Amino acid sequence: MSTKEKIQEQQDVDTLEKPNNEIVVYNDEINTFDHVIETLIKACDHTPEQAEQCTILVHYKGKCTVKTGALEDLKPRCSKILEAGINAEII
């Protein structure tokens, strides 16, 4: 009897997943830490600790990715951040 090998083709996972977009928040000299923290909690559903860590990164690094996901989910979140007077964009 002959043995037949079954070869399972492995698909590249990157081609199966949609690329994620990011909301990036930029530092400014206008908004307070508390304002940015409160906005990230409301707009991005962050915990207070997450929002505080992002705010510290924005302050010291100049920017921080605060949310990743599908563009349809990020658009209204980014709008809330912008309406709060915070510099942000989706990339």
Side-chain angles (χ1 to χ4, degrees), residues 9-64:
E9 292 184 23
Q10 191 175 31
Q11 293 184 357
D12 189 7
V13 176
D14 292 336
T15 60
L16 300 176
E17 296 178 359
K18 291 183 177 180
N20 281 336
N21 295 321
E22 303 174 341
I23 298 176
V24 178
V25 171
Y26 297 96
N27 190 35
D28 62 32
E29 300 300 322
I30 300 167
N31 293 295
T32 65
F33 274 76
D34 289 338
H35 177 64
V36 176
I37 290 168
E38 290 173 14
T39 302
L40 292 178
I41 291 170
K42 291 176 185 173
C44 297
D45 299 325
H46 282 192
T47 64
E49 293 81 12
Q50 285 175 308
E52 182 179 5
Q53 289 174 350
C54 287
T55 303
I56 290 169
L57 287 171
V58 167
H59 180 73
Y60 287 107
K61 300 283 187 177
K63 65 181 180 178
C64 177

Side-chain angles (χ1 to χ4, degrees), residues 61-81:
K61 300 283 187 177
K63 65 181 180 178
C64 177
T65 298
V66 296
K67 194 76 172 176
T68 60
L71 187 59
E72 298 79 32
D73 178 50
L74 298 183
K75 281 183 179 181
R77 295 178 187 275
C78 190
S79 292
K80 287 180 184 178
I81 295 170

